[in-house]
Amino acid sequence: MTVLLTRDADGVRTLTLNRPHRRNALDPQLWEALRAALSEAGGDRSVRALVLTGAGGAFCSGADLSRGVSAAHPLYRMRTLTDVALLLHELPVPTVAKVTGVAVGAGWNLALGCDLVVATPQASFSQIFARRGLSPDLGGSWLLPKLVGLQQAKRLALLAETVDAEEARALGLVTWVVDAGEVDAFVDDLTARLTAGPPVALAQTKALLNEGGDRTLRDALAGEARAQAVNFASADAPEAYEAFTQKRAPHFTGRWAVPGRADDT
């Protein structure tokens, strides 16, 4: 069985965790498949947005503990998790988690690593690590305080409570809650809007926002200036201006457009 399904449509790459018999728990094969898929997506210019979801009514129930503990040193095992978390965080295109069931432990942090989270009312979430004698991984210790503040992050991590989709949305951990019968169409519309955006500018914006929480205002302003220089070197800024004056929708390509230089990519 293919543990990670890949589908491309209209600039959107959908990665589906496909171990429904284990509620899409992450085993070594799936970790490696995720690492390879995210690396490939980051280098593929035809990908303008990425959706991460799970098969069989679950998103991801965390790491698969059914096989017991590996004999490999934990530091070696954690390298793959580290790679996946960084690849997802630094992916230069917008990412959307579509959560239609449980998202637990590393599975929840996988969703939180996406830029936007769409959940159905049936979704449930838990930082289950404490119940397993563990502490958060896959970036959870960094993501949670930034998203909900230190006190709520400690509540979720120390008590390992399960929260439903509405509470997760109220805490700022889910962007939208959408009925199960409408979620596919909602995500399709959302990704269509994202892929219609200027790819270079969106990549710059995502990086600025990701880095902003760890920077001073002076650092952030310098980063914004560099990002705008990159944006003005693309064809998208003048295209947006022309579209505005002509009262039409812009067509963004991310093409390099510095005078005197050919776009050879």
Side-chain angles (χ1 to χ4, degrees):
M1 180 178 70
T2 303
V3 296
L4 184 68
L5 304 177
T6 302
R7 180 174 65 88
D8 289 323
D10 301 320
V12 180
R13 178 160 297 175
T14 300
L15 301 179
T16 303
L17 310 179
N18 189 39
R19 300 186 72 227
H21 59 292
R22 296 292 303 164
R23 296 198 298 177
N24 303 317
L26 295 151
D27 68 350
Q29 185 182 3
L30 184 48
W31 279 119
E32 290 293 343
L34 261 178
R35 176 164 61 178
L38 291 172
S39 179
E40 181 182 352
D44 189 339
R45 287 186 58 187
S46 70
V47 178
R48 301 276 290 263
L50 183 136
V51 175
L52 187 61
T53 191
F59 182 76
C60 177
S61 58
D64 191 344
L65 304 178
S66 64
R67 300 182 181 182
V69 178
S70 169
H73 194 287
L75 284 178
Y76 298 138
R77 301 201 307 271
M78 292 301 293
R79 285 178 183 171
T80 304
L81 279 70
T82 298
D83 289 346
V84 168
L86 286 174
L87 284 165
L88 182 60
H89 182 72
E90 296 174 354
L91 205 67
V93 299
T95 55
V96 179
K98 181 167 66 174
V99 183
T100 59
V102 296
V104 173
W108 190 6
N109 292 337
L110 197 60
L112 294 179
C114 293
D115 302 315
L116 303 167
V117 180
V118 182
T120 64
Q122 294 77 25
S124 60
F125 306 86
S126 175
Q127 292 288 321
I128 201 170
F129 300 97
R131 296 189 217 169
R132 304 290 183 255
L134 300 170
S135 51
D137 58 26
L138 208 70
S141 65
W142 187 85
L143 289 162
L144 280 172
K146 291 181 178 300
L147 292 168
V148 301
L150 183 58
Q151 192 173 76
Q152 287 293 342
K154 288 179 177 178
R155 167 210 159 188
L156 293 167
L158 297 177
L159 297 176
E161 296 175 334
T162 297
V163 298
D164 62 20
E166 284 296 344
E167 183 175 4
R169 185 184 63 81
L171 287 167
L173 298 168
V174 164
T175 322
W176 297 278
V177 177
V178 180
D179 287 343
E182 302 172 3
V183 69
D184 289 342
F186 183 92
V187 170
D188 287 346
D189 176 72
L190 173 62
T191 52
R193 290 157 59 194
L194 291 170
T195 58
V200 172
L202 292 187
Q204 299 297 307
T205 299
K206 175 175 175 174
L208 287 170
L209 293 174
N210 281 344
E211 297 163 1
D214 298 321
R215 293 186 170 185
T216 65
L217 176 59
R218 185 177 296 276
D219 291 335
L221 290 168
E224 290 173 357
R226 288 191 295 269
Q228 294 294 41
V230 172
N231 294 330
F232 283 120
S234 81
D236 289 342
E239 163 63 10
Y241 177 75
E242 289 184 16
F244 174 76
T245 59
Q246 297 170 11
K247 298 182 179 180
R248 60 173 174 82
H251 176 64
F252 294 125
T253 63
R255 184 173 58 84
W256 177 254
V258 173
R261 293 293 301 272
D263 184 2
D264 57 0
T265 57

